[in-house]
C-alpha cells in the first residue's frame, strides 16, 4: 500500500510538471486607468527572458507562455505591472499613470529632464510626426508642426536644402539657422538629403535662452535636437518593414497662358510681326498648342523602403536599419537616390554604474541637379522652357545641336535650346556621409557621475558637370577651328567635423530639496579640403560622362584645350567650458542657471572669447495644495532670461570669413602706366566680435479636464546686438567701408499650441490641434546717417523691408502706367531715388502656424494638417514677363491678360498699352509686381487602417498598417505662380510639388 502511494504521488508530480511545462497562448488587452482607452506599444515581456510581445494599435497582445511564468507589462509614463500566468488564457491589464516618470520626456540637448521640472521653452515631436511623410529631407516634414519654427524650401529638387529659422530673422548677414544635434553630435544644418527620416525617434526644438545658452556660440538661433531609434533591453528580435510608393505632381498656377492660335492671331492682328503675320484664320486655327509643361515636367515616382531590426538582452540592446530611397523630381532629369545604413548600440555593466551608447550611420546619395535655375539664361534654365516658350513652337523643330548652332540665335527658339540641354547636359553630385558617435557615463559615487560624448560628421562629395561635344552650347561657343568642343568639370570636397564633450555631474536630494550641477568642457574642430579640374575639349568618338578617355590634350597650335585646376583647404575650431546648476524644491519651485565661455578661431585674440549666460525659473502651480481639487492636471509658469552668441557673423559654413580681423595686400598690373602694383585688398578689423542675442521668455504650460485640453503659451523678446555689417569709412583708406559690429534687430512675439480631445472613447477619438506664432521684427542703430540702407531696411522698420515707388494704375488717356511721387501726385515718370517710399512689406512672415485633427475609429484613422503663412510679399517676375510689351512679344509666351491691354476702345484696364512708353519700366523699383505670397495649404493628409491583433493571429505578423497620404494637396493664395511657399523673387524657380503616397508598415 505504501509503495502504491509513492507511485501515485510520483505520477501526480509528473502530470503536474507536464501540464505546467506546456506552453499556451495568452491574449488580452491593455488600457489606461485614467480614461479606459487602449494603449498601443505596451511591452509584454516574460520575466527573466528576452521573449516578449507588444500591444497593437488597439491595445491587444498575444504571447506564448508557460503556466507559472510571470508577464511584465511596461509602458512609458505608466506603472509597471507583473502577473503570474495561471489557468486563464485571457489577461486584461489596466495600467495606472506613474507620476514619477510620466513627464520624463524633455530632451534639453546635454541632458534629459522631466517635463515637470523643465524651465525651458521647447517642443518635442515623436517619430509619428514624420510617419508617412514622403519628403526626402525630414526638415520639410516639420513645417507647421512647431510654433515659431519657420521652414522655407525654395526648390522642388529632391533633397533640396531648407532654410530653418526659429522666432524670426535674427541677423542681417550672419547665420540665422539653429544648431542641429543628432544623438549629441553637431551636424551640417544645410545637408540632410543623405539621412533616413525613418531612423528618427524624436525631435526637440529648443527656443529660449534657458535652453540654448548652454550651447553658447552655436545656440544663438535656437537648437534642434534629434534622437534616433534604439533597441529595448530584454526584448526579442523585432523586424519591421516600411514601404512607400509616391507620385509627385506639378502644382497649379494662375498665369493663364495663351494658346497657339491666340498667340498667332495676336501677332498678326495686334503686333504686326512674328510667325502669325501672313497666316490665314484656317492656318492659325489648325496650329497645335505645345504644352511645354508636359515636355519639361513629369509625374515623378518615389520608392522608399526601410527594414529595421531591434532586440535587447539583459544589459545590451541594438537597433539596425537599412534604407533605400529613389525619388524622381518633377523636372525631367532631376532626382535623388540614396542608400542608408544605421546601427545603434546601448549597453551597461551588471551593476548599472557604467553605461554606453554608440551610434553609426553610413549613407550614399546621388543627386541629379538642374543648374541655371532662377537665372535668366534662355539656354540654361529649364524652367524657362516651361512658362516662357512660345506655344506654337513644336518639339519637332529640334533636330540636333549642330543644326541648332548653324541657325543663328533667336529668343523665340528658347524651348529648342533647352530641349538640347535636356538631352545633352548632366550635373551629378555623389555624396558619402558618415555620422558616428560614442557616449559613456560612469557613476563615480552615489551622487557623482562622469560622462564623455564624442561625435564626428564626415561628408565626401564629388560633383561633375558635363557638356558633351555634340551639345548646342559646346558647338555655338567653340572657337573657330575647334572640332572637338565640350567640357567636363569635376569637384571633390571633404568636410570633417569632430566634437568632444566632457562633463561631471553632481545630483543630490535631501528632503524636499534637489540639487543638480554639471561642469562641461567642449572641443570642436572642423576641416574642409577640396580639389577640382575643368577640362576643355572632348573627343566625340570615345566620350563617356565622368570618364577621362575623351579628354583632348593641350597642344602648341592653339589654346583651345588648356585645362584649369583648383584646390582649397580650410580649418575651423571652437573651445568652450561651461556649467549648469538646477535647484528644485518639492517639485513646486525650480531655478536653473547656466554660464558658458566660448573661444572662436574667427576673431582676433582680444575678442576671441565670449561669455554667455541664462537663468530660468518655474512654478508648478498645479502641485500646490490649493490646486488639488481644481480642473488643472498640470499648470506651470516659466520665465527665462539669457544671452547667446553668433560667431558665424557672415553666414555661410563653419569656414566662412576666417580672417576678417587681418589686413591683406594683393598685386595688380593696373598700377600707374599699367605697371605692377601692390594694393590693400582687405582692411582688417581686430575689434570684430560676436553678434550677441539677448532673449526674455515667459511661458505657461497647462493640462485640464483630465488632460483632454492641453497646451502652452509663450511670449518672447529677442534682441540681436552688434550686427555684422559693412560700415562706411573715408576713401582715403583705400576703400569706402570696413566690416564692423553695428546695429540691432529685435524679434518679439508669441507662440501658442493647443490640443483638445473632442472625443475620447475606447474605439473612437478625435483630437483637434492648433499651433501658431506671431512675430514682429524691428531694426535699429543702422550704420547710416539717414538711418536707412536699401536692401536692408530702416530704423524702426522690418528687416529687408522694400522701398519702392507706388503704382497707381493706367492712364486712361494714353495707356501709360501711372505712379505716385513722394507727395502723392500722379506721374508717368517717377524718380526711383526721390519718389520711393517704405512699403512695410518684406518676404519674412508675420504669422505662421497650422491647424488640423487626428481621428481614430476601430483601427481606421484620418489625420490632417493645414498650414498657413501671413505677411510675405515678393516680386512676381514671371507675370511681369508674361504681360511684357517689349522684348517678350514674338519671343516668349504671354498671359491672356495682355489681351486686355489699353486701347482707345478699352480705356478702363489694369494692363498698359502695347505701345506704352513706360509699360516695361520700374519693374524692380516699383510695387507694381509686388504680390502677396500668403497662403493656406493642406500640408498633409493621412488616412489608414491598423489591423487588430486578432486578425493577425497565426500569421507571424505582429503589426500591419496600410495608409495613403497627400502632401501639399490644396493651396489657397493670391500668388499666381506654381509655388506660394517659396520666399525668393519668382524668376522661374523649381517649384515644390504635391505628392500622393501609398504605403505599408509590417512588423514581425
Amino acid at each position: 500500500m505504501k509503495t502504491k502511494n509513492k507511485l501515485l504521488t510520483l505520477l501526480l508530480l509528473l502530470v503536474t510538471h507536464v501540464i505546467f511545462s506546456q506552453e499556451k497562448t495568452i491574449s488580452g488587452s491593455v488600457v489606461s486607468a485614467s480614461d479606459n482607452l487602449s494603449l498601443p506599444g505596451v511591452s509584454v515581456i516574460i520575466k527573466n527572458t528576452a521573449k516578449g510581445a507588444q500591444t497593437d494599435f488597439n491595445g491587444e497582445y498575444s504571447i506564448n507562455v508557460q503556466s507559472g511564468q510571470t508577464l511584465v507589462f511596461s509602458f512609458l509614463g505608466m506603472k509597471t505591472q507583473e502577473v503570474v500566468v495561471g489557468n486563464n488564457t485571457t489577461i486584461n491589464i489596466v495600467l495606472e499613470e506613474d507620476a514619477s516618470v510620466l513627464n520624463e520626456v524633455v530632451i534639453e540637448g546635454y541632458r534629459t529632464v522631466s517635463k515637470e521640472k523643465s524651465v525651458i521653452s521647447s517642443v518635442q515631436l515623436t517619430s509619428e510626426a514624420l510617419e508617412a511623410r514622403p519628403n526626402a529631407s525630414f526638415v520639410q516634414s516639420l513645417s507647421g508642426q512647431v510654433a515659431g519654427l519657420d521652414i522655407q524650401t525654395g526648390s522642388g529638387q529632391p533633397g533640396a536644402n531648407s532654410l530653418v529659422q526659429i522666432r524670426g530673422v535674427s541677423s542681417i548677414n550672419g547665420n540665422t539657422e539653429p544648431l542641429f544635434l543628432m544623438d549629441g553630435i553637431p551636424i551640417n544644418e544645410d545637408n540632410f538629403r543623405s539621412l533616413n527620416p525613418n531612423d528618427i525617434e524624436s525631435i526637440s526644438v529648443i527656443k529660449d535662452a534657458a535652453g540654448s545658452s548652454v550651447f553658447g556660440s552655436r545656440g544663438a538661433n535656437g537648437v534642434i535636437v534629434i534622437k534616433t531609434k534604439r533597441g529595448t533591453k530584454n526584448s526579442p528580435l523585432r523586424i519591421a518593414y516600411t514601404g512607400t510608393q509616391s507620385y509627385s505632381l506639378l502644382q497649379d498656377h494662375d498665369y493663364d497662358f495663351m494658346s497657339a492660335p491666340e498667340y498667332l492671331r495676336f501677332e498678326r492682328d495686334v503686333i504686326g510681326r512674328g510667325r502669325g503675320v501672313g497666316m490665314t484664320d484656317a492656318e492659325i486655327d489648325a496650329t497645335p498648342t505645345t504644352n511645354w509643361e508636359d515636355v519639361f515636367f513629369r509625374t515623378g515616382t518615389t520608392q522608399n523602403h526601410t527594414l529595421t531590426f531591434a532586440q535587447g538582452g539583459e544589459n545590451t540592446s541594438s537597433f539596425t536599419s537599412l534604407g533605400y530611397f529613389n525619388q524622381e523630381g518633377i523636372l525631367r532629369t532631376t532626382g535623388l537616390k540614396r542608400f542608408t545604413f544605421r546601427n545603434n548600440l546601448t549597453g551597461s555593466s551588471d551593476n548599472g554604474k557604467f553605461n554606453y551608447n554608440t551610434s553609426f550611420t553610413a549613407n550614399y546619395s546621388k543627386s541629379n541637379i538642374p543648374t541655371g535655375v532662377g537665372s535668366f539664361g534662355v539656354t540654361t534654365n529649364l524652367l524657362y522652357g516651361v512658362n516662357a516658350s512660345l506655344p506654337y513652337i513644336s518639339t519637332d523643330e529640334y533636330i540636333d545641336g549642330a543644326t541648332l548652332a548653324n541657325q543663328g540665335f533667336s529668343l523665340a527658339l528658347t524651348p529648342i535650346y533647352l530641349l538640347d540641354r535636356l538631352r545633352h547636359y548632366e550635373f551629378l553630385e555623389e555624396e558619402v556621409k558618415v555620422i558616428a558617435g560614442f557616449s559613456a557615463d560612469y557613476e563615480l559615487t552615489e551622487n557623482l557621475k562622469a560622462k564623455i560624448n564624442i561625435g564626428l560628421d564626415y561628408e565626401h562629395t564629388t560633383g561633375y558637370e558635363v557638356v558633351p561635344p555634340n551639345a548646342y552650347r559646346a558647338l555655338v561657343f567653340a572657337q573657330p577651328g575647334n572640332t572637338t568642343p565640350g567640357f567636363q568639370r569635376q569637384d571633390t570636397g571633404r568636410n570633417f567635423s569632430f566634437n568632444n564633450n566632457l562633463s561631471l555631474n553632481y545630483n543630490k536630494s535631501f528632503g524636499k530639496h534637489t540639487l543638480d550641477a554639471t561642469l562641461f568642457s567642449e572641443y570642436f574642430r572642423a576641416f574642409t579640403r577640396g580639389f577640382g579640374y575643368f577640362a576643355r575639349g572632348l573627343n566625340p568618338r570615345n566620350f563617356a560622362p565622368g570618364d577621362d578617355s575623351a579628354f583632348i590634350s593641350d597642344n602648341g597650335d592653339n589654346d583651345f584645350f588648356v585645362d584649369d585646376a583648383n584646390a582649397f583647404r580650410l580649418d575651423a575650431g571652437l573651445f568652450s567650458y561651461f556649467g549648469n546648476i538646477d535647484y528644485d524644491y518639492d517639485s513646486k519651485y525650480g531655478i536653473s542657471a547656466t554660464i558658458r565661455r566660448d573661444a572662436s578661431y574667427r576673431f582676433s585674440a582680444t575678442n576671441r572669447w565670449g561669455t554667455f549666460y541664462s537663468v530660468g525659473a518655474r512654478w508648478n502651480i498645479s502641485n500646490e495644495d490649493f490646486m488639488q481639487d481644481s480642473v488643472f492636471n498640470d499648470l506651470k509658469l516659466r520665465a527665462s532670461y539669457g544671452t547667446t552668441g553668433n560667431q558665424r557673423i557672415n553666414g555661410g559654413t563653419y569656414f566662412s570669413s576666417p580672417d576678417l580681423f587681418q589686413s591683406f595686400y594683393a598685386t595688380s598690373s593696373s598700377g600707374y602706366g599699367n605697371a605692377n602694383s601692390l594694393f590693400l585688398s582687405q582692411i582688417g578689423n581686430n575689434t570684430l566680435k560676436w553678434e550677441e542675442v539677448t532673449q526674455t521668455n515667459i511661458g505657461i504650460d497647462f493640462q485640464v479636464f483630465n488632460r483632454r485640453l492641453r497646451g502652452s503659451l509663450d511670449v518672447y523678446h529677442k534682441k540681436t546686438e552688434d550686427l555684422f555689417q559693412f560700415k562706411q569709412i573715408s576713401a582715403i583708406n583705400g576703400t569706402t567701408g570696413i566690416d564692423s559690429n553695428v546695429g540691432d534687430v529685435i524679434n518679439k512675439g508669441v507662440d501658442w499650441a493647443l490640443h483638445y480631445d473632442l472625443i475620447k472613447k475606447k474605439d473612437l477619438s478625435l483630437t483637434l490641434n492648433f499651433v501658431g506664432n506671431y512675430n514682429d521684427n524691428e531694426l535699429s542703430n543702422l550704420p547710416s546717417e539717414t538711418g536707412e540702407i536699401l536692401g536692408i531696411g530702416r530704423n524702426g522698420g522690418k528687416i529687408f523691408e522694400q522701398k519702392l515707388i507706388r503704382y497707381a494704375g493706367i492712364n486712361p488717356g494714353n495707356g501709360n502706367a501711372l505712379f505716385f511721387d513722394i507727395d502723392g501726385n500722379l506721374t508717368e515718370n517717377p524718380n526711383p531715388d526721390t519718389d520711393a517710399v517704405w512699403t512695410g512689406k518684406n518676404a519674412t512672415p508675420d504669422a505662421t502656424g497650422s491647424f488640423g485633427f487626428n481621428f481614430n475609429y476601430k483601427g481606421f484613422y484620418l489625420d490632417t494638417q493645414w498650414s498657413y503663412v501671413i505677411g510675405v510679399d515678393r516680386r512676381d517676375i514671371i507675370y511681369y514677363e508674361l504681360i511684357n510689351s517689349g522684348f517678350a512679344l514674338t519671343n516668349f509666351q504671354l498671359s491672356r491678360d495682355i489681351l486686355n491691354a489699353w486701347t482707345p476702345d478699352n480705356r478702363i484696364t489694369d494692363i498698359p498699352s502695347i505701345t506704352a512708353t513706360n509699360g516695361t519700366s520700374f519693374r524692380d523699383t516699383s510695387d507694381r509686381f509686388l504680390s502677396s505670397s500668403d497662403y493656406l495649404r493642406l500640408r498633409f493628409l493621412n488616412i489608414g487602417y491598423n489591423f487588430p491583433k486578432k486578425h493577425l493571429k497565426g500569421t507571424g505578423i505582429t503589426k500591419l498598417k496600410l495608409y495613403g497620404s497627400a502632401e501639399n494637396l490644396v493651396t489657397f493664395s493670391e500668388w499666381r505662380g506654381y509655388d506660394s511657399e517659396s520666399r525668393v523673387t519668382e524668376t522661374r524657380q523649381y517649384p515644390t510639388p504635391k505628392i500622393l503616397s501609398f504605403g505599408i508598415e509590417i512588423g514581425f
Side-chain angles (χ1 to χ4, degrees):
M1 187 68 182
K2 189 179 290 186
T3 302
K4 287 183 179 181
N5 286 338
K6 286 182 180 180
L7 289 172
L8 223 91
T9 303
L10 185 61
L11 182 61
L12 182 61
L13 288 172
L14 182 62
V15 170
T16 303
H17 175 72
V18 170
I19 292 174
F20 276 90
S21 63
Q22 289 179 337
E23 278 194 347
K24 60 182 178 179
T25 300
I26 299 294
S27 60
S29 63
V30 183
V31 298
S32 169
S34 61
D35 50 25
N36 201 39
L37 292 181
S38 303
L39 288 176
V42 175
S43 177
V44 185
I45 301 294
I46 302 174
K47 192 172 183 179
N48 298 323
T49 74
K51 186 178 179 181
Q54 194 176 54
T55 58
D56 63 11
F57 182 81
N58 298 307
E60 299 175 347
Y61 74 95
S62 176
I63 188 172
N64 293 326
V65 63
Q66 296 177 7
S67 295
Q69 289 186 314
T70 300
L71 292 180
V72 181
F73 298 83
S74 61
F75 188 70
L76 181 65
M78 300 290 182
K79 292 181 179 178
T80 299
Q81 282 195 35
E82 296 186 3
V83 178
V84 177
V85 176
N87 296 324
N88 293 334
T89 57
T90 300
I91 299 178
N92 296 321
I93 298 296
V94 179
L95 293 182
E96 297 180 349
E97 292 180 350
D98 188 346
S100 64
V101 300
L102 183 62
N103 292 311
E104 291 184 1
V105 292
V106 177
I107 300 173
E108 295 188 350
Y110 291 113
R111 61 180 189 151
T112 300
V113 299
S114 69
K115 186 175 181 180
E116 181 183 51
K117 295 184 179 181
S118 175
V119 302
I120 74 170
S121 175
S122 69
V123 175
Q124 182 161 309
L125 302 175
T126 67
S127 58
E128 293 180 358
L130 305 177
E131 288 181 356
R133 303 299 289 260
N135 302 304
S137 169
F138 75 89
V139 168
Q140 296 174 18
S141 301
L142 301 182
S143 180
Q145 298 202 58
V146 177
L149 181 65
D150 181 32
I151 297 174
Q152 311 165 34
T153 304
S155 173
Q157 166 67 28
N161 178 38
S162 299
L163 178 63
V164 182
Q165 294 171 326
I166 298 176
R167 291 179 170 178
V169 182
S170 57
S171 180
I172 293 174
N173 295 303
N175 177 49
T176 61
E177 295 194 87
L179 168 68
F180 283 81
L181 294 174
M182 176 172 279
D183 294 329
I185 306 166
I187 59 175
N188 183 356
E189 76 271 12
D190 291 328
N191 184 7
F192 301 114
R193 67 186 176 198
S194 295
L195 301 179
N196 188 351
N198 290 327
D199 289 344
I200 295 175
E201 177 68 26
S202 66
I203 297 174
S204 297
V205 181
I206 299 173
K207 299 187 281 188
D208 68 342
S212 60
S213 67
V214 71
F215 300 97
S217 63
R218 291 182 285 181
N221 304 307
V223 183
I224 295 181
V225 182
I226 305 161
K227 182 182 178 183
T228 59
K229 295 176 180 178
R230 294 189 172 274
T232 304
K233 292 182 179 179
N234 295 314
S235 63
L237 174 64
R238 292 180 181 142
I239 302 174
Y241 165 77
T242 301
T244 306
Q245 178 75 29
S246 303
Y247 302 91
S248 302
L249 308 168
L250 180 66
Q251 298 190 65
D252 298 328
H253 67 85
D254 192 28
Y255 287 131
D256 199 13
F257 295 155
M258 279 189 181
S259 67
E262 287 173 325
Y263 204 112
L264 291 169
R265 192 166 280 111
F266 184 70
E267 288 181 335
R268 186 192 66 181
D269 299 340
V270 179
I271 306 173
R273 66 181 190 274
R275 189 177 292 189
V277 175
M279 295 181 68
T280 66
D281 284 341
E283 290 173 330
I284 288 177
D285 292 337
T287 302
T289 298
T290 301
N291 187 335
W292 290 108
E293 286 183 355
D294 292 342
V295 174
F296 290 97
F297 281 120
R298 65 184 173 187
T299 296
T301 60
T302 301
Q303 292 185 51
N304 189 6
H305 306 277
T306 301
L307 184 65
T308 65
F309 307 85
Q311 63 180 342
E314 187 69 25
N315 295 322
T316 61
S317 66
S318 68
F319 172 85
T320 301
S321 77
L322 300 170
Y324 170 74
F325 181 91
N326 188 4
Q327 185 172 55
E328 293 179 336
I330 56 172
L331 185 62
R332 293 186 186 274
T333 74
T334 66
L336 169 68
K337 182 184 292 185
R338 73 172 173 227
F339 301 87
T340 61
F341 168 79
R342 171 171 291 277
N343 179 257
N344 291 345
L345 299 176
T346 302
S348 62
S349 60
D350 290 336
N351 61 9
K353 289 189 174 184
F354 176 73
N355 302 278
Y356 67 89
N357 293 286
T358 68
S359 61
F360 177 83
T361 179
N363 313 286
Y364 167 80
S365 68
K366 181 170 69 174
S367 301
N368 294 88
I369 303 172
T371 59
V373 172
S375 72
F376 292 94
V378 295
T379 62
T380 57
N381 184 359
L382 293 178
L383 277 303
Y384 251 104
V386 176
N387 46 34
S389 297
L390 291 171
Y392 55 72
I393 298 290
S394 169
T395 57
D396 295 335
E397 296 184 34
Y398 175 76
I399 300 174
D400 55 36
T403 304
L404 194 58
N406 292 328
Q407 284 184 240
F409 180 76
S410 171
L411 289 174
L413 294 178
T414 290
I416 308 303
Y417 300 138
L418 294 172
L419 275 176
D420 183 84
R421 185 175 181 85
L422 197 65
R423 300 178 187 184
H424 300 296
Y425 176 83
E426 185 171 14
F427 186 95
L428 178 68
E429 188 166 272
E430 295 179 293
E431 177 182 78
V432 174
K433 187 175 180 70
V434 176
I435 301 175
F438 171 79
S439 66
D441 61 74
Y442 184 74
E443 187 177 307
L444 301 173
T445 68
E446 182 180 353
N447 307 113
L448 193 64
K449 181 180 292 185
K451 185 175 182 178
I452 183 173
N453 193 328
I454 300 173
L456 63 87
D457 182 4
Y458 174 76
E459 297 173 358
H460 183 106
T461 59
T462 301
Y464 70 87
E465 178 184 21
V466 179
V467 174
N470 61 338
Y472 164 75
R473 282 179 59 84
L475 295 166
V476 78
F477 292 113
Q479 306 93 330
N482 184 356
T483 59
T484 55
F487 71 82
Q488 179 169 297
R489 178 177 64 85
Q490 181 169 314
D491 293 293
T492 299
R494 291 175 290 125
N495 294 324
F496 175 82
S497 63
F498 170 82
N499 199 81
N500 182 23
N501 185 287
L502 301 172
S503 64
L504 190 64
N505 172 260
Y506 176 80
N507 184 280
K508 176 71 174 179
S509 296
F510 39 98
K512 296 182 178 181
H513 306 271
T514 300
L515 181 68
D516 186 280
T518 309
L519 295 176
F520 298 87
S521 71
E522 189 168 46
Y523 175 74
F524 173 82
R525 192 73 169 153
F527 309 90
T528 183
R529 304 289 185 266
F531 173 81
Y533 67 82
F534 188 99
R536 294 176 175 87
L538 300 172
N539 190 332
R541 290 178 297 180
N542 55 350
F543 166 73
D547 187 66
D548 68 348
S549 59
F551 288 1
I552 306 295
S553 300
D554 187 25
N555 58 71
D557 297 332
N558 54 60
D559 291 327
F560 297 165
F561 312 116
V562 177
D563 299 335
D564 296 327
N566 65 83
F568 64 86
R569 57 174 295 160
L570 292 168
D571 300 342
L574 296 168
F575 179 73
S576 314
Y577 56 89
F578 49 106
N580 174 266
I581 187 168
D582 282 273
Y583 168 75
D584 170 74
Y585 175 74
D586 198 22
S587 297
K588 295 180 180 178
Y589 316 103
I591 187 169
S592 176
T594 299
I595 186 167
R596 174 164 176 150
R597 288 272 287 167
D598 276 300
S600 170
Y601 81 106
R602 201 169 255 116
F603 306 110
S604 66
T606 54
N607 284 323
R608 182 152 296 161
W609 288 90
T611 303
F612 311 101
Y613 64 91
S614 73
V615 60
R618 60 175 167 79
W619 178 23
N620 297 88
I621 304 173
S622 55
N623 289 344
E624 296 286 359
D625 293 338
F626 60 81
M627 292 289 291
Q628 295 308 306
D629 296 324
S630 73
V631 297
F632 285 91
N633 302 101
D634 290 294
L635 181 61
K636 180 175 67 174
L637 180 66
R638 296 176 279 101
S640 66
Y641 175 86
T643 63
T644 49
N646 185 2
Q647 56 100 16
R648 288 168 61 180
I649 57 176
N650 204 21
T653 66
Y654 298 136
F655 312 100
S656 302
S657 303
D659 47 26
L660 294 177
F661 60 90
Q662 295 178 298
S663 295
F664 294 109
Y665 291 86
T667 59
S668 172
S669 60
S670 58
Y672 183 76
N674 292 325
N676 290 333
S677 60
L678 188 68
F679 68 96
L680 187 63
S681 61
Q682 175 177 297
I683 297 179
N685 184 353
N686 59 10
T687 66
L688 278 179
K689 58 181 180 180
W690 315 75
E691 291 185 345
E692 186 168 301
V693 181
T694 303
Q695 185 171 189
T696 303
N697 189 95
I698 299 175
I700 187 168
D701 303 321
F702 60 89
Q703 297 187 62
V704 295
F705 309 131
N706 199 24
R707 294 189 171 86
R708 292 188 66 168
L709 178 64
R710 54 202 176 274
S712 63
L713 178 70
D714 284 84
V715 179
Y716 61 88
H717 184 281
K718 184 168 66 170
K719 182 178 182 180
T720 306
E721 299 176 285
D722 298 321
L723 291 172
F724 176 75
Q725 296 188 73
F726 191 70
K727 182 179 180 181
Q728 292 185 344
I729 60 174
S730 173
I732 197 173
N733 295 286
T735 182
T736 57
I738 188 172
D739 296 317
S740 304
N741 292 100
V742 58
D744 311 321
V745 60
I746 296 172
N747 288 279
K748 52 187 176 182
V750 58
D751 295 336
W752 68 88
L754 191 66
H755 308 278
Y756 179 59
D757 297 327
L758 185 63
I759 303 174
K760 194 175 182 180
K761 298 180 179 179
K762 182 176 181 179
D763 294 325
L764 177 65
S765 66
L766 176 63
T767 301
L768 307 181
N769 306 301
F770 304 89
V771 170
N773 165 267
Y774 172 77
N775 186 77
D776 182 37
N777 181 279
E778 181 181 319
L779 289 167
S780 61
N781 298 322
L782 290 177
S784 167
E785 292 182 2
T786 62
E788 301 178 355
I789 301 177
L790 288 179
I792 293 178
R794 55 174 169 157
N795 288 332
K798 299 179 178 180
I799 193 169
F800 306 130
E801 180 184 1
Q802 302 195 55
K803 188 177 184 181
L804 302 168
I805 302 166
R806 292 166 292 170
Y807 173 64
I810 305 302
N811 187 337
N814 59 14
N816 285 336
L818 286 173
F819 302 88
F820 291 109
D821 66 15
I822 192 67
D823 298 317
N825 302 312
L826 291 175
T827 177
E828 293 180 1
N829 299 292
N831 187 327
D833 296 327
T834 59
D835 292 327
V837 300
W838 292 101
T839 61
K841 297 179 179 180
N842 64 3
T844 302
D846 299 322
T848 60
S850 69
F851 58 88
F853 64 80
N854 305 112
F855 173 79
N856 292 276
Y857 176 70
K858 292 186 176 181
F860 291 96
Y861 65 90
L862 174 64
D863 302 325
T864 65
Q865 180 199 334
W866 290 84
S867 296
Y868 63 86
V869 168
I870 301 173
V872 175
D873 295 275
R874 55 194 178 108
R875 191 171 291 107
D876 192 345
I877 301 300
I878 287 184
Y879 185 62
Y880 159 79
E881 294 181 355
L882 288 170
I883 60 169
N884 189 294
S885 58
F887 67 88
L889 300 182
T890 73
N891 289 317
F892 297 121
Q893 174 65 287
L894 295 172
S895 169
R896 289 191 177 96
D897 290 2
I898 203 170
L899 299 176
N900 192 39
W902 182 95
T903 66
D905 298 324
N906 182 38
R907 295 177 179 272
I908 307 302
T909 178
D910 58 349
I911 305 296
S913 167
I914 297 297
T915 59
T917 58
N918 63 356
T920 60
S921 304
F922 311 109
R923 183 196 74 177
D924 297 332
T925 54
S926 77
D927 64 359
R928 180 182 171 192
F929 296 100
L930 192 67
S931 178
S932 170
S933 193
D934 299 351
Y935 67 83
L936 172 64
R937 170 174 286 177
L938 182 52
R939 170 71 67 181
F940 185 60
L941 181 147
N942 187 25
I943 185 170
Y945 180 67
N946 280 286
F947 285 78
K949 197 81 170 181
K950 59 185 179 182
H951 295 333
L952 303 176
K953 286 183 178 179
T955 64
I957 299 174
T958 59
K959 177 184 180 180
L960 179 61
K961 179 169 74 172
L962 302 177
Y963 61 86
S965 67
E967 192 100 1
N968 303 329
L969 186 61
V970 180
T971 302
F972 301 97
S973 178
E974 293 180 16
W975 185 255
R976 301 184 66 156
Y978 293 99
D979 191 5
S980 56
E981 181 179 353
S982 175
R983 305 284 169 80
V984 298
T985 296
E986 185 61 79
T987 53
R988 297 184 170 86
Q989 300 286 336
Y990 190 161
T992 56
K994 64 177 68 174
I995 307 176
L996 305 178
S997 303
F998 306 92
I1000 181 173
E1001 291 184 20
I1002 186 168
F1004 302 93

